[in-house]
Structure formats: C-alpha cells, structure tokens
Amino acid sequence: MSATRKLWLGLAVLLTLSFGVLLWAGTEIFRTAPPMPEKVLSESGQVIYTRADMEQGRQVWQSMGGMQLGSIWGHGGYVAPDWSADWLHRESVSLLDLWARADGGMATYAQLPEEQQAALRARLKQVMRTNTYDAATGTITLPDDRALALSNVAAHYESLFGNDPATATLREAYAMKNDTVPDASHRRALTAFFWWTAWAAGTERPLEPGDAMVPSKTGVVGKQVTYTNNWPSEPLIDNTPAPAMWVWSSFSVLFLIAGIGLLGWWHARQAHEEPLQLPASDPLAAIRITPSMRATAKYFWVVLALFVVQILLGAITAHYQVEGQQAYGFALSDVLPYSITRTWHTQLAVLWIAVAWLGTGLYIAPAMSGHEPKFQRLGVNFLWTCLLLIVVGSFAGQWLAVMQKLGLEHNFWWGHQGWEYADMGRFWQWFLFVGLLLWLTLVGRALWPVLRGPATGTRSIVGLLFLSTVCIGLFFASALMWGEHTHISEVEYWRWWLVHLWVEGFFEVFATAVMALIFTRLGLIKDTVASVAVLFATIVFMSGGVLGTLHHLYFVGTPTAVVALGASFSALEVVPLAYIGFEAYHTYKLGKATPWMARYRWPIMFFIAVSFWNLVGAGLFGFLINPPLSLYFMQGLNLTPLHGHTALFGVYGMLGIALLLFALRGLRGQMVWDTRALQVSFWCLNIGLALMAVLTLLPLGTMQLLAAIEHGYAYARSAEFMQKPIVEMLVWMRVPGDTIFSVGALALCWFVLRLWIAPRRDPAFSASAEHE
C-alpha cells in the first residue's frame, strides 16, 4: 500500500472516530443540560416566573442583539457585563443585605463585622447552591426572602433596559442605547431569562453514578459543581474552580508536550527532499484565463469593500467603550447602537474572509484542471449576486430587530438570532447554505476531469481540496440544527460546530490544499511530496481540531467528561503550531527558489505572516485560554478577543489576502504591478495588529484576569472596573494600532483599484517591470 493511500485511510479512520466521539459528547450535553422549569414559585406559593416568561425573555434578548450586548455564560460582548454573572452577584448581595437588616440591624451586609459576614455567607451558599428543582412537576421553589431579593434585581434590570434616568449612567457605561427594550412586559420577560441563566450558574447539578472520581471521606460532604461547572467565579457562594479543572488543565499541558515530542520525532526521521529541476519561467503565466475565472474579479472587489466597512465598524464599536452612547457629541446609538455595530463587525470578519476563499476556489478550479464547464460563468455571476443579497438582507433585518421594529414573531427568521458569529436570521442562513451548495457544485464540476484522471500526487491534493469544499458546503448546515426555542446548551453545541469546525477546520484544510496546488503548479514542489505533506498536515490538524471543539463548551451545562475531552484534544490543536517556523522558512525558500518567483513576492510574504500569526495568535494566545482552569477565569475577558483578533485576521485574514493576490496575479498579471502599495499594506496590517494586541487587549485582559481571580468574575466585567481611568487610557491606546492598520487596508484597496483604473500594460509579462 502506497504512503498516500495509507494517509487517506488514516484520515478516514480519524474523522470517523473523532466525529463519533463528538456526536456522543453532544448527546451527553443534551442529556445533562440545565432544566428549564415550567414555573418558579416562592415558598408561600407566589408564581415568580413561568416557562413562557423565560422563553419570551430569550426571544427579547436575541432581538436586542443577544451576545453582541454583554454575554451569557461568558460568550458574547465585552463592554456590558456578563448578565449571568452580574445577576448572580446582584442577587447574592441583595439577599445578604436583606439578612443584614433583619438579623444584624445594619443597612447593608458590608457594614457587618467579619464574623457575622462569614455566617451569612455560609447561609447564602446553602440557599443559592441547593437545587430545589422538582423534575416531576417541573417546578423550582425558592425561599420567600430569596424571591424578594430576586424581585429587587429584576427591578434593576427593568430600569436598565428601559429609559429610567436612575440607571442612565450605567446604560452609558454599558454602551446601551436608551430604551433598549421599550416594551415593559418584554423587559420583565427578559429578567426571567437572565435569572434562569444565573440560577444554572449557581445551582448544583444532581450527582450521577461515576461523577465522583475522588473516594468519599467519612463525615465530609463531597464537592459538587453547578450546571456550568462552577462558572463564574463568585466568592460569595463559593463558586470556585472544580477539582476537574485543575486535573485536566495539568493533563492538557502533558498532552501538548507529548504531541510536540512525537511531531518532532516525525520531522527528524523524514528524508530530505531530492533536488528539483525548477522551471525556467513562471508556469502559471501561461494559464488561459477562462470567462468564469475572469468573472471572479468582482468577488475580490467585494472582499475589499467588506474589509474596509468592517474596519470602520470596528472603530465605531471600540469608541463606544469610551463615550458609551455617542461619537464626539453625536447621539450615534439612536441610529447605530453598539449591538448592531458589533454584530456587523464580527459578521463581516467572517464574510469577507469567506468570500475571498470562495472566489479563490472558483478561480483555481478551472485554472488547475484546464476545464471550463458549460454555463460556469453564469453560475459564478449568479452566486455573486446571491452573496450581495444575503449581506444586504441579513444586515437590514438585524438593524430592524435591534431597533425593536421587527417584532418577536418575525425576529428568528428575518432579524437577529443573537448568537455571536451566527447572528443572521434563519431565512438568510438557508439562503447562504443553498449558495454554498451552488459554490460546491461550481468548484466540483470544474475539478471533475482531474478527479476522474489517473492516480497522481496532484489528484490526491485536488481530492483533498474537493473534500474540504464538500465539507465547507455541507457543514454550514450545523447553523440550521437549532430552532427558536432549542435549549441554549444545545444551541451552543451546534454553534461551535459552525464557528470552530466550519471556519477554523475545513477552511484551513481548503487553504492548505490550495497552497499546495499553487506551489506544485509553479513547479517548486513535487506533486507526490506535496500530497503526502498535505495529507499528513490535515491528519495532524484534525486530530485535535475536531474534538478540540469541546473546549468552547466547558461552561454551558456540560458534564465533566466533556471537559476532559475538550482539555485533552484542544491541547493537540497547538501541537502543529509548535513547528510553524519550519513552514514559514519553507515558504520563504520557495519564494527565493527562482528569479521569476519575484512576481509572487508579496503573496509569499502574506503566507509567511500567516505562519507568524498562527504561532502567536492561534498558538500562544490560543493555548493561553484553552485549558479549563485558564478559561474558567479568562472567558469573556479581553484576553479572549486577544486570541480572536490575532488568530482570525492574523491567520485567516492574511491567508485570504494572500490567496486574493495569487488570483489577481493571474487575472491582472499582464499589467505592471507597482508593489510599493503592497509593501505599505503588508507592514501596516501586521504592525497595526501587533499594536492593537500589545497596547490594549493584552494589558487590559491581564488586569481583568487579576481582578477576576481576586474579587470574582462579576467585578472584572463590572462598570466599576471598566470605567477606571487606566482602562479608558488602554482603550485610547488602540488608536495608533487601529490607524496604522487602516492605512494598510486602504493601501491594499488602492493597489487593487490601480489594476483596473488606468493600469499600465507590461509588454514583457515579467517581474522586471515591478517596483520592488
């Protein structure tokens, strides 16, 4: 059996086992998810909330932007608080104050002596952590004094999400527009949903056989965890990291070291490649540009337009953290609230990168096969029109939803779903899914002659490219797996299939295969060597990538087994990144392999930037937050967007730009390329991203981490902390990096624009006309 066939078999076995375990983990998450009660009663029999209240409250939360305005269970925005943690802390303090007035004669708990405070904290822990859910009747029963504390917190939230002057300062600190939820009944329903998420975070889940790994000790009650594995950190009720967090965090480090050692052994035993006879001229320069390939140019124009708009929205979103509701005196929140600018900013980040890769697939398929199927250009143009309709339509629906003009009955299908990175309404998700199936068909039919051809190294790479294309098309269906009232734990499971597997998984395989195809067609790598390398890289990445999805699910109502799997396999995601320097050096050598490769200098430079940010953003900053113990404190703090920005743009954004430039080298290679603009773009984008990370996100996230460890998670996300002068200074420190980054984006746009507006034709079609 050949090495290639063995690798294909190994990949098939790996994916079968990995997805089998991932699906099993999903069944466990669904089975042990926090129960949604039919009603919540006080001991005196008063109905506090009903299931209908909580269901409607979630609809209200989604319609106002959901995870884009604050967060739930740590997932979402960073300016407003995490509503689960905030409610849990406020309810605890309110109950302690009630007891202080009743038992100690003091106005507040803080005024009591330390001895009495300790006694009340022990009482609070008993009340808050005790699970009173009755599965037979679907009822949660609360003590009357806790019901009173709950009503006090609910009154605060009803004031906050309305237009009450008493909470105006807090709304500004949270970057919330006035009358975020104008309907009073909707505000009350919203408090029901927030209370339930806090209840799950503070209430111990029932023990099941096998849950306790530690032998019991006589006379000592074993530690139990809440439905969210004791997240968030809340000292008042003894919400602290569970023992499993410590154990599996330690093991994740061991798995990382072992994985790096095994990969190092594999690298060391590989034979060096035989010298390759390099072509005397650029083989891609002779490729015939077909009508469908030429039609992909408009995809890359849209990429740049969406990129620029995303940067603009990012600047507005960041500025909201300083002024809250205004932009230099203009009441911007009345027109573009924070939740909508952040929605569009995060959604555009995925959209422009995805469109760059879709355009590259449509360009490279006929380029590699030499086959132009019938009506291919029509399909390329039709898909482009559909993508524009999806962007405009989904954005319009989200704006109408956040402005509370759409109505709850229409929001799920046409408005704002409220799930970060999966915000668009269900109709638009179906539309995009159909569009991806069309893209799969267009790419597949162009690649078909190669797939049917003789078994060669090139066919293996094209086969992997086609497989990743199939997965990109089909796995977007994970966004369609939940309904309007599906349990939030189940939604989170499928949402991370979309965000982690679709974006971070199969697009990565697609990009790896595209790069290998490009270098083999350039004659710089043997197709047999490239096919083995690409298949091995895919196996290494997918060995941690599939089950690594579970590290996003530690605190959404998951059992300990899921935490163990997520910790173990997310560590393996970092293993291939430890050797990213080899990839960067190899890419650099290919860029210097022959004089005519100077034509591809800047695409190669962007590929090298991908390797750098893979190591820093995905590797260092990713593993910083991946172990359970780390994420317990860091989830939802600014160390999370530190990883998000440097990995999403640094890896996938830079890769999208590199692929765009390779496609443009074919589409407009006959024109003189004045690469000075590309040089400015490359360095400004990289320096700007680094400054954004080092000057703001890293120091601010570290300060929040220290605050969360010492004072609890709610304080680290509170207005009291986020409005400190040093925090405001760190937010302003984003300006230099953001400005430099924006210059880089505009320089890239200017370069591409010049290729179509007043271009200069290069009669020699060589790199000698370029200004390096």
Side-chain angles (χ1 to χ4, degrees):
M1 185 182 294
S2 67
T4 302
R5 185 178 294 273
K6 289 179 181 177
L7 288 171
W8 272 111
L9 180 60
L11 179 60
V13 172
L14 171 69
L15 292 178
T16 300
L17 292 176
S18 296
F19 277 102
V21 175
L22 186 61
L23 289 170
W24 170 83
T27 63
E28 287 297 291
I29 291 172
F30 300 168
R31 184 179 64 83
T32 61
M36 178 72 75
E38 295 302 320
K39 55 187 175 181
V40 181
L41 301 176
S42 67
E43 286 182 340
S44 59
Q46 175 190 0
V47 177
I48 303 171
Y49 291 129
T50 65
R51 183 182 184 122
D53 294 331
M54 298 175 212
E55 295 283 9
Q56 186 184 56
R58 194 179 101 175
Q59 289 179 290
V60 174
W61 170 72
Q62 291 177 266
S63 72
M64 73 183 193
M67 290 179 176
Q68 304 294 355
L69 184 63
S71 58
I72 291 292
W73 292 348
H75 294 297
Y78 310 104
V79 177
D82 181 271
W83 304 114
S84 310
D86 188 66
W87 183 294
L88 184 63
H89 182 73
R90 288 180 181 276
E91 184 179 343
S92 299
V93 171
S94 179
L95 190 52
L96 288 171
D97 286 344
L98 286 174
W99 290 339
R101 287 192 290 272
D103 301 343
M106 294 293 184
T108 66
Y109 157 82
Q111 295 173 330
L112 292 175
E114 176 61 31
E115 297 80 5
Q116 290 180 266
Q117 287 185 352
L120 290 185
R121 283 198 305 272
R123 180 181 173 188
L124 176 72
K125 176 184 173 182
Q126 175 69 21
V127 169
M128 297 292 286
R129 296 182 68 92
T130 298
N131 193 336
T132 59
Y133 174 69
D134 183 351
T137 61
T139 301
I140 295 175
T141 304
L142 303 179
D144 287 337
D145 49 2
R146 184 176 179 183
L148 179 57
L150 183 155
S151 67
N152 292 337
V153 180
H156 164 77
Y157 278 93
E158 290 180 47
S159 168
L160 178 67
F161 284 88
N163 200 22
D164 188 350
T167 48
T169 302
L170 208 52
R171 275 194 297 276
E172 184 177 0
Y174 293 163
M176 294 171 55
K177 74 181 185 74
N178 293 325
D179 264 341
T180 299
V181 181
D183 189 292
S185 63
H186 287 177
R187 291 199 297 272
R188 187 184 184 282
L190 180 64
T191 67
F193 174 64
F194 284 169
W195 174 83
W196 176 79
T197 66
W199 173 84
T203 300
E204 294 177 351
R205 70 163 75 240
L207 276 176
E208 294 188 335
D211 277 356
M213 297 180 64
V214 181
S216 59
K217 181 180 179 181
T218 305
V220 177
V221 179
K223 285 184 175 292
Q224 291 180 243
V225 298
T226 68
Y227 286 103
T228 58
N229 287 310
N230 281 2
W231 188 94
S233 170
E234 178 50 70
L236 290 177
I237 65 168
D238 201 24
N239 248 18
T240 56
M245 298 290 160
W246 297 86
V247 172
W248 291 110
S249 295
S250 301
F251 273 96
S252 70
V253 177
L254 291 180
F255 294 142
L256 173 62
I257 295 172
I260 291 174
L262 288 172
L263 189 59
W265 172 80
W266 183 86
H267 268 283
R269 69 184 295 269
Q270 295 307 298
H272 295 290
E273 296 179 21
E274 298 177 5
L276 189 65
Q277 186 66 38
L278 300 177
S281 60
D282 180 3
L284 293 183
I287 288 180
R288 180 178 65 90
I289 304 298
T290 68
S292 71
M293 292 168 64
R294 200 172 301 282
T296 61
K298 62 176 69 69
Y299 282 77
F300 304 119
W301 301 339
V302 170
V303 165
L304 296 175
L306 297 180
F307 183 29
V308 171
V309 174
Q310 190 226 350
I311 292 172
L312 176 62
L313 289 166
I316 295 173
T317 304
H319 188 78
Y320 267 127
Q321 194 167 347
V322 177
E323 287 200 71
Q325 296 173 323
Q326 299 185 335
Y328 303 104
F330 178 71
L332 188 61
S333 64
D334 293 341
V335 182
L336 284 177
Y338 172 88
S339 58
I340 201 66
T341 63
R342 190 176 189 273
T343 297
W344 291 349
H345 175 68
T346 56
Q347 195 163 297
L348 282 173
V350 175
L351 285 174
W352 77 258
I353 294 171
V355 172
W357 294 13
L358 297 181
T360 299
L362 294 171
Y363 171 84
I364 208 159
M368 295 297 108
S369 68
H371 173 59
E372 174 83 350
K374 193 175 183 180
F375 302 121
Q376 184 79 353
R377 184 177 68 171
L378 175 62
V380 170
N381 290 333
F382 179 71
L383 178 59
W384 180 79
T385 304
C386 290
L387 290 174
L388 290 185
L389 288 174
I390 290 168
V391 172
V392 174
S394 64
F395 278 29
Q398 287 161 354
W399 185 85
L400 290 170
V402 170
M403 300 303 290
Q404 301 292 291
K405 297 177 181 295
L406 199 59
L408 297 184
E409 65 274 16
H410 304 300
N411 180 68
F412 178 76
W413 276 90
W414 302 98
H416 200 308
Q417 285 204 41
W419 310 112
E420 191 177 28
Y421 296 110
D423 303 285
M424 61 177 61
R426 177 52 51 86
F427 172 81
W428 304 109
Q429 288 178 332
W430 271 108
F431 197 168
L432 182 54
F433 179 57
V434 173
L436 289 169
L437 294 182
L438 173 59
W439 175 72
L440 164 61
T441 303
L442 293 171
V443 174
R445 67 204 292 259
L447 292 174
W448 191 244
V450 181
L451 295 172
R452 291 183 57 192
T456 62
T458 299
R459 194 180 77 164
S460 287
I461 302 174
V462 172
L464 192 60
L465 174 66
F466 180 67
L467 178 62
S468 64
T469 304
V470 170
C471 290
I472 290 170
L474 297 182
F475 269 78
F476 186 78
S478 56
L480 310 174
M481 298 301 290
W482 66 79
E484 187 170 7
H485 299 292
T486 301
H487 194 288
I488 186 173
S489 298
E490 298 179 34
V491 174
E492 282 292 87
Y493 173 77
W494 291 115
R495 184 174 76 91
W496 286 109
W497 271 56
L498 175 68
V499 179
H500 184 91
L501 285 175
W502 189 69
V503 177
E504 299 180 33
F506 299 116
F507 267 118
E508 176 119 358
V509 177
F510 171 81
T512 303
V514 167
M515 289 173 61
L517 271 178
I518 289 172
F519 286 132
T520 54
R521 288 303 300 265
L522 286 171
L524 303 176
I525 308 176
K526 288 183 178 180
D527 56 2
T528 53
V529 173
S531 65
V532 170
V534 169
L535 281 168
F536 180 77
T538 302
I539 289 173
V540 171
F541 178 77
M542 285 300 187
S543 65
V546 176
L547 291 179
T549 306
L550 298 174
H551 82 258
H552 299 284
L553 303 172
Y554 294 149
F555 311 118
V556 296
T558 55
T560 302
V562 172
V563 175
L565 285 169
S568 304
F569 285 91
S570 64
L572 296 181
E573 287 185 277
V574 186
V575 168
L577 304 181
Y579 286 84
I580 209 72
F582 291 115
E583 179 184 333
Y585 180 65
H586 183 62
T587 304
Y588 175 77
K589 282 203 308 180
L590 293 177
K592 298 287 186 179
T594 182
W596 52 261
M597 275 300 292
R599 292 167 53 82
Y600 299 100
R601 177 187 175 189
W602 290 106
I604 291 292
M605 290 295 289
F606 276 100
F607 280 139
I608 293 173
V610 170
S611 297
F612 172 80
W613 289 110
N614 232 337
L615 175 61
V616 175
L620 297 179
F621 295 150
F623 191 70
L624 173 68
I625 66 173
N626 274 3
L629 186 60
S630 301
L631 197 59
Y632 177 85
F633 290 106
M634 297 182 192
Q635 181 163 283
L637 306 185
N638 274 271
L639 292 173
T640 305
L642 171 69
H643 162 62
H645 282 74
T646 54
L648 183 57
F649 178 78
V651 179
Y652 301 104
M654 292 289 186
L655 188 53
I657 294 172
L659 295 175
L660 175 150
L661 292 176
F662 259 110
L664 292 183
R665 179 45 92 179
L667 291 170
R668 306 300 285 178
Q670 71 275 27
M671 304 303 172
V672 175
W673 277 34
D674 185 347
T675 57
R676 289 173 294 188
L678 282 182
Q679 184 176 11
V680 171
S681 176
F682 175 83
W683 290 112
C684 284
L685 289 174
N686 281 280
I687 293 172
L689 182 60
L691 291 177
M692 183 192 313
V694 173
L695 296 183
T696 298
L697 297 176
L698 180 58
L700 179 53
T702 303
M703 288 175 54
Q704 284 185 294
L705 173 61
L706 293 171
I709 293 172
E710 186 170 356
H711 302 294
Y713 187 85
Y715 173 71
R717 292 284 303 272
S718 67
E720 179 184 357
F721 179 89
M722 295 300 293
Q723 294 300 305
K724 290 184 180 296
I726 189 172
V727 173
E728 185 171 334
M729 183 196 73
L730 288 173
V731 173
W732 277 110
M733 289 293 287
R734 280 193 60 160
V735 172
D738 287 358
T739 302
I740 294 172
F741 188 89
S742 300
V743 170
L746 293 175
L748 178 64
C749 293
W750 173 250
F751 168 78
V752 175
L753 184 66
R754 285 293 305 274
L755 291 179
W756 271 271
I757 305 299
R760 291 185 293 123
R761 188 174 184 82
D762 178 6
F765 282 63
S766 69
S768 60
E770 294 186 15
H771 300 284
E772 294 296 330

